[in-house]
Each structure stands twice: as structure tokens, then as C-alpha cells.
Amino acid sequence: MYIDPESWAHWKEIGEFRDGTILMKELVSVGSKAAVSGAGYFQGEYIGLEATIKSAGHFPDEPGNWAYYSFTTPDHKSLTETAKAFPAPACNACHAGAAADDFVFTQYYPVLRAGKGTKGDAVGGTLSNLE
Amino acid sequence: MYIDPESWAHWKEIGEFRDGTILMKELVSVGSKAAVSGAGYFQGEYIGLEATIKSAGHFPDEPGNWAYYSFTTPDHKSLTETAKAFPAPACNACHAGAAADDFVFTQYYPVLRAGKGTKGDAVGGTLSNLE
């Protein structure tokens, strides 16, 4: 998972995904369940690239103003140069129902959780859930 | 996995880990094997931070000039501010024997593999293995 530096700085201070946040996700298959260092789940092949962008200006009608993209070819063997946003039911419906923080599945992103700032809470609860 | 930007640029062009390369690894437990998006391995808790540095100046006697560090407390619950390099048998012996590229386990790092440059090969084989 990657986040643009400005939104990361905001997240670390305020604990919210600012308007303009771009998250990129690399999808990776499991390559091995054992290595010389012991048992675990070790990455295999690089099989996809996805993005989500939060922008009230670009996506005024999307829930939470989030739009979702895949830059992966259907066979998961190469990347595309451009992508169209998925329709909301294809992605956003699950994100709205099951994502832990705003529309982001932070329950699966421990480093995002570890870096989350608290300034937003100090000024009146988790603002991102009120949008 | 993270790599310092200068060494990443060198890797993308030449396909070798330059002297001065710093790799950082976040260790994460498996949090779930199923999510609303389907089956998979989803990250759980952030349980460690490790580093390896290649430097002929700092580690002239280490195989490949690589040294290895852990910034994790033994209970895997917090991070340390400083770390001492492990003795070579604790890390480097396995890296020497089983790592796919130089002393790095690129077999488990698909994004590093995908980004590897080829200019180094053009001027006489995989130089990193000849050091």
C-alpha cells in the first residue's frame, strides 16, 4: 500500500484521509509458506495494481467521495496505462459497509493504523465518519 | 519492503544493489484469510522492523558487505530506537546460501524483481555476485 506524501502527513497528524488522498495497492500472490527464516507467507508474483482517490471535486456523487480503479489486465499478467473508475456498486458498496476507517480497510493495513494521528479526534470525534 | 530512493534509482537502471543500499522490512502478522473481497492473506498486526545495509566502508568483513539489524523488541510489541548489527552467522549465512540476488531474497519481493534494470548485465554479467 502506498499513500501520497501530503495525505500521509495529514493522516499522521490529524488521523483522517484528506480530500485529495490517493492510495495505491499492489496485489501479490503467495509465493511460499516456508523459507529459510521459518514459516510465514512470502510474496510470490506481482499480479495487480489498484488505486482509490478521495476527491469531492472529481467524485461529488460517490459515497465518501471515493473512486476506485484497477490498472491490471484481466489475466493479471500486465498493467494498463489508464483506467476508468468502477461504478460505485462494484467497489464502494463493500467499502461503505465493511471498511474500518472512512472507506479504507485499515483493519488490513497495520502501518496505516500505527501511523494514525489523533488531532482530528481532539476537535470532535472521527470527522471522516460524518461526511 | 522499502529501499532508499538513490539505491532504488540505481537498481532500476543497473539491476544491482549499489554500495550504500538500505533496505527496510516491516514484519506483519496474518490478520485474516477472508475478506469481503474474497479469500486471500490480509495483513494483521505490525510486529517488527528490520534493516539491511550494504556498505564496504562500514562492513568490510561481512560477506557481500551486508549487515542486518532488527529494531523490534523481543515481544514484537514495540520498536527500538537503536540496534546493533547481528553477527554474520545469525543472518548472513542464510542470505549467502539462499537469497536469489546478491544477498537479498528477491524471490519474495516481486516489486523489486519487476523494477530490476538490465544495464549491469550489458557490461559483463551480474557484477553483484562477483564481489
Side-chain angles (χ1 to χ4, degrees), chain A residues 71-92:
Chain A
F71 293 88
T72 315
T73 55
D75 66 0
H76 281 275
K77 295 204 169 154
S78 47
L79 300 178
T80 61
E81 295 216 346
T82 60
K84 267 184 70 175
F86 283 104
C91 298
N92 217 336

Side-chain angles (χ1 to χ4, degrees), chain A residues 30 33 41 43-44 108 113, chain B residues 30 33 41 43-44 108 113:
Chain A
V30 173
K33 296 184 182 179
Y41 296 94
Q43 297 187 4
Y108 306 131
R113 290 201 305 275
Chain B
V30 174
K33 296 185 182 178
Y41 296 95
Q43 297 186 3
Y108 306 130
R113 290 201 304 276

Side-chain angles (χ1 to χ4, degrees), chain B residues 13-100:
Chain B
E13 187 181 354
I14 308 295
E16 292 166 15
F17 296 109
R18 71 181 190 104
D19 191 82
T21 295
I22 301 175
L23 296 167
M24 301 289 302
K25 180 170 69 172
E26 288 164 344
L27 302 176
V28 172
S29 66
V30 174
S32 176
K33 296 185 182 178
V36 291
S37 58
Y41 296 95
F42 300 91
Q43 297 186 3
E45 297 301 322
Y46 178 25
I47 56 171
L49 185 70
E50 299 180 346
T52 180
I53 303 172
K54 179 186 179 82
S55 170
H58 289 86
F59 317 114
D61 300 327
E62 294 291 337
N65 302 131
W66 289 99
Y68 303 85
Y69 299 86
S70 170
F71 293 88
T72 316
T73 56
D75 65 0
H76 281 276
K77 293 202 170 156
S78 48
L79 300 179
T80 60
E81 295 215 348
T82 59
K84 266 185 69 176
F86 283 104
C91 297
N92 218 337
C94 276
H95 282 256

